[in-house]
Amino acid sequence: MITLLDYGAGNVRSVINAIESLGERVTPVTSAEDILSAEKLVFPGVGAFGNMMRILHEKQYVAPLKAYLAADRPFLGICLGLQALFDTSEEAPGVPGLGIFPGSVKRFSVDLSIPHIGWNGLGIHKPSRIFNGLSGDEKFYFVHSYHVAPDEASAVLATTDYGYRFVSAVQRGSLIATQFHPEKSGSAGLKLLKNFLDTGLEPVLPVQGSLETRLAKRIIACLDVRTNDQGDLVVTKGDQYDVRERGAVRNLGKPVELAGRYYREGADEITFLNITGFRDFPLKDLPMRQILQETSRHVFVPLTIGGGIRDFTDRDGRSYTALEVAAEYFRAGADKISIGSEAVDIAEAYLETGNGTGTSAIETISQVYGAQAVVISIDPRRVYVSSPEAVDHPVLETEFPGPAGERFCWYQCTVKGGREGRNIDAVTMARACETLGAGEILLNCIDRDGTNQGFDLELIAAVKAAVGIPVIASSGAGCAGHFLEVFTRTQADAALAAGIFHRREVPIGEVKAHLSGKVAIRGETGKG
Ligand code: 1PR
């Protein structure tokens, strides 16, 4: 029996699913007594440090937690569950942590995308039972803006490199805590979790050539989901956002099945977009929730859900906030939510006043679940102009002249699946959303979507240069070479594709084989 410390601030569903998939039962902590009587305690911290400590105090969990940890009983802290063990955090100055390990939690200070999102390796510093059966070259899923800095070197179990070397796991006796998410790290993560649960295992030290690690470029499979004319939820795919073929919605398969297939084929992440979210009442959109619930039971990589994340009032006059909608999806197993149309409204309002309202979907969800949980999906369309002065938007000179020979273009944001253009460009939009608290940009391109012509490198480079958060390149992948191109000619952090994966034209394995040795990826041997 595993006891799970869920203080109610985020997605703990995936940890429960991962442990249950290993044949164990999980019970949540509902009182301080549950902590003291736990056989093995797992603490998957989610959200922000200050909020977490406040809730732990409110629920009177601090004293029993300290007592449990002082007694050297089996404990696994994950992410914020690691950071909680330290004295202080730069995320919440003045708020004391549990103080189990002397040291502090610091914000990354690097000239790289923050949050540090994705699959990175471990430089292993001492033997542990959690490494049984692992080669030491596996990558694990990280998503954080802060990292721990222990005062005592003896606590360090593993380090990871991101701009500099930071501590990514600690161990003292039966107390183990990781910055990465084993529950989101595919088969390597499940193995590590299983090793934690099996307290009888001997400590092992994998043989490693060096401590150096590299963050992998992510390959993301995207499933655009909507109801077809028969009323079934299907994965569909458009050509430049038109998903109808001879009048009918294209049906490329069942969402849960396809997600499972991509997980097995090595996708680093899976994104579901409810492409008609602007029409429906999302809270009543149970099928999407069910898709997430079912998928997260078998798929142990990060899941993003987009479509319909916004404030709305339903037919009965009941109003919901975007935060409530997002909470519903996080509870169902989503790790991140993606905001499309609503983000355009929010950015426009922000640009008009120069201030956030504090109540927008981006701000509220980011505050509660952390910036890393908020993706902004941008649906831009290229607009050609004859000169940079022709419009009041950032304009770039393009290698691909327009129909009348125009050498300049800007990227107009659209809403409602490209149905409506707005007077805001993709670069300004991305920057505004970052300022408001978004943690990642999913950068689509209507002109390239479904064309197999390759990613729009000019768009991706322009947006990437404008923001400090990770950018996912999307739309247009037609062959494995396009992924190499986007990773070598732009600084994109991840690349997403749909059509070529759905139609089995280019399997994920082929993409990774093509990238192997040229770009750091997950799944190759060696640390990449
Ligand atoms: O506006 O918050 O409700 O979110 C709706 C979401 O649905 C947005 O993220 C928007 O991008 C998406 N969406 C809306 N309509 C469509 C459509 O296709 N008619 N799909 C749509 C967007 C684009 C990508 C696609 C890539 C890769 N799909 O997700 O998967 O372009 O495709 P490819 O590799 O086949 O080229 P809201």
Side-chain angles (χ1 to χ4, degrees):
M1 174 75 76
I2 311 303
T3 303
L4 185 98
L5 179 52
D6 170 13
Y7 58 94
N11 171 19
V12 295
R13 187 73 248 159
S14 39
V15 178
I16 298 173
N17 288 338
I19 296 174
E20 286 182 349
S21 81
L22 298 168
E24 288 279 358
R25 281 201 307 127
V26 179
T27 52
V29 168
T30 53
S31 69
E33 183 44 41
D34 293 341
I35 296 178
L36 294 169
S37 61
E39 276 169 42
K40 291 168 195 155
L41 185 63
V42 176
F43 180 16
V46 196
F49 189 91
N51 192 43
M52 167 187 67
M53 288 310 304
R54 186 181 55 76
I55 301 176
L56 289 180
H57 280 289
E58 268 171 25
K59 299 203 165 194
Q60 303 191 333
Y61 289 169
V62 172
L65 248 177
K66 284 185 175 176
Y68 183 93
L69 293 165
D72 192 29
R73 288 155 65 188
F75 175 91
L76 179 65
I78 300 172
C79 196
L80 214 54
L82 159 70
Q83 298 181 7
L85 304 175
F86 284 74
D87 294 323
T88 56
S89 171
E90 287 180 4
E91 192 179 6
V95 177
L98 295 172
I100 307 297
F101 288 100
S104 60
V105 180
K106 297 185 183 311
R107 187 173 163 84
F108 268 114
S109 134
V110 288
D111 191 19
L112 295 168
S113 302
I114 305 288
H116 169 224
I117 298 186
W119 299 77
N120 206 329
L122 302 182
I124 296 172
H125 290 247
K126 60 182 187 183
S128 170
R129 74 170 189 279
I130 63 170
F131 299 132
N132 271 276
L134 296 179
S135 70
D137 285 338
E138 295 84 358
K139 287 191 191 303
F140 296 85
Y141 187 74
F142 287 81
V143 48
H144 59 128
S145 302
Y146 295 82
H147 63 83
V148 299
D151 292 345
E152 296 167 355
S154 60
V156 178
L157 178 59
T159 53
T160 295
D161 297 325
Y162 191 60
Y164 51 81
R165 190 154 291 166
F166 69 93
V167 173
S168 51
V170 297
Q171 178 163 10
R172 184 199 289 152
S174 302
L175 188 174
I176 299 171
T178 64
Q179 182 58 65
F180 55 91
H181 290 261
E183 78 283 7
K184 285 283 143 189
S185 297
S187 54
L190 292 179
K191 181 94 197 114
L192 192 141
L193 260 182
K194 193 168 173 25
N195 291 342
F196 165 75
L197 300 177
D198 190 349
T199 43
L201 290 173
E202 288 299 315
V204 297
L205 183 67
V207 183
Q208 294 186 302
S210 92
L211 291 178
E212 198 184 327
T213 73
R214 276 173 72 189
L215 178 68
K217 297 288 185 181
R218 286 169 283 153
I219 306 298
I220 303 176
C222 183
L223 288 76
D224 291 354
V225 179
R226 63 162 287 166
T227 34
N228 65 9
D229 301 320
Q230 287 72 48
D232 303 320
L233 267 184
V234 297
V235 174
T236 189
K237 185 67 211 62
D239 295 328
Q240 300 178 315
Y241 285 35
D242 180 2
V243 299
R244 286 186 181 271
E245 196 168 52
R246 286 188 290 270
V249 171
R250 260 195 210 116
N251 178 350
L252 294 170
K254 294 186 178 156
V256 179
E257 267 177 38
L258 265 189
R261 187 184 116 205
Y262 296 142
Y263 171 60
R264 291 189 296 278
E265 289 180 359
D268 298 317
E269 238 174 274
I270 291 171
T271 296
F272 292 104
L273 296 176
N274 171 9
I275 67 167
T276 49
F278 65 91
R279 282 192 195 138
D280 299 327
F281 292 147
L283 229 53
K284 292 189 176 170
D285 196 16
L286 288 174
M288 280 312 274
R289 220 168 45 184
Q290 215 176 325
I291 284 172
L292 270 174
Q293 279 164 348
E294 287 176 26
T295 303
S296 64
R297 252 179 246 133
H298 308 286
V299 171
F300 300 106
V301 294
L303 301 175
T304 302
I305 175 89
I309 313 280
R310 58 186 161 83
D311 298 342
F312 71 95
T313 301
D314 72 13
R315 282 170 225 149
D316 310 325
R318 177 162 173 204
S319 296
Y320 299 90
T321 62
L323 180 60
E324 287 175 297
V325 180
E328 205 60 38
Y329 284 134
F330 287 125
R331 268 195 291 276
D335 300 286
K336 313 187 220 181
I337 53 87
S338 154
I339 310 175
S341 304
E342 178 91 351
V344 178
D345 292 341
I346 296 168
E348 283 178 341
Y350 166 76
L351 292 170
E352 221 174 278
T353 62
N355 288 309
T357 58
T359 58
S360 73
I362 300 174
E363 292 158 287
T364 53
I365 301 171
S366 174
Q367 230 154 46
V368 176
Y369 293 96
Q372 81 293 334
V374 181
V375 183
I376 304 299
S377 170
I378 307 184
D379 297 314
R381 178 178 279 128
R382 186 179 266 237
V383 181
Y384 283 103
V385 286
S386 51
S387 75
E389 294 75 37
V391 281
D392 200 12
H393 295 288
V395 163
L396 57 87
E397 187 164 6
T398 174
E399 260 185 68
F400 308 97
E406 300 95 330
R407 287 179 25 250
F408 301 93
C409 70
W410 66 287
Y411 288 92
Q412 180 185 32
C413 291
T414 67
V415 296
K416 301 182 179 172
R419 287 167 181 81
E420 192 183 315
R422 288 293 187 79
N423 191 29
I424 178 171
D425 66 278
V427 170
T428 308
M429 166 82 188
R431 229 188 248 133
C433 292
E434 177 182 28
T435 307
L436 290 168
E440 198 167 27
I441 302 291
L442 164 51
L443 187 56
N444 302 297
C445 176
I446 297 181
D447 312 86
R448 295 294 176 104
D449 175 60
T451 62
N452 290 7
Q453 286 172 9
F455 298 97
D456 189 327
L457 304 180
E458 294 175 336
L459 167 66
I460 296 157
V463 171
K464 182 66 199 172
V467 295
I469 53 179
V471 171
I472 302 167
S474 165
S475 303
C479 62
H482 289 150
F483 290 84
L484 184 60
E485 189 178 63
V486 78
F487 289 136
T488 50
R489 292 185 51 197
T490 79
Q491 299 292 315
D493 300 271
L496 171 152
I500 54 169
F501 296 153
H502 301 336
R503 294 187 296 266
R504 295 180 187 268
E505 286 164 8
V506 184
I508 293 167
E510 186 180 322
V511 172
K512 291 210 168 174
H514 188 75
L515 295 175
S516 182
K518 305 178 193 104
V519 170
I521 49 159
R522 172 175 79 110
E524 61 190 351
T525 53
K527 288 196 180 157

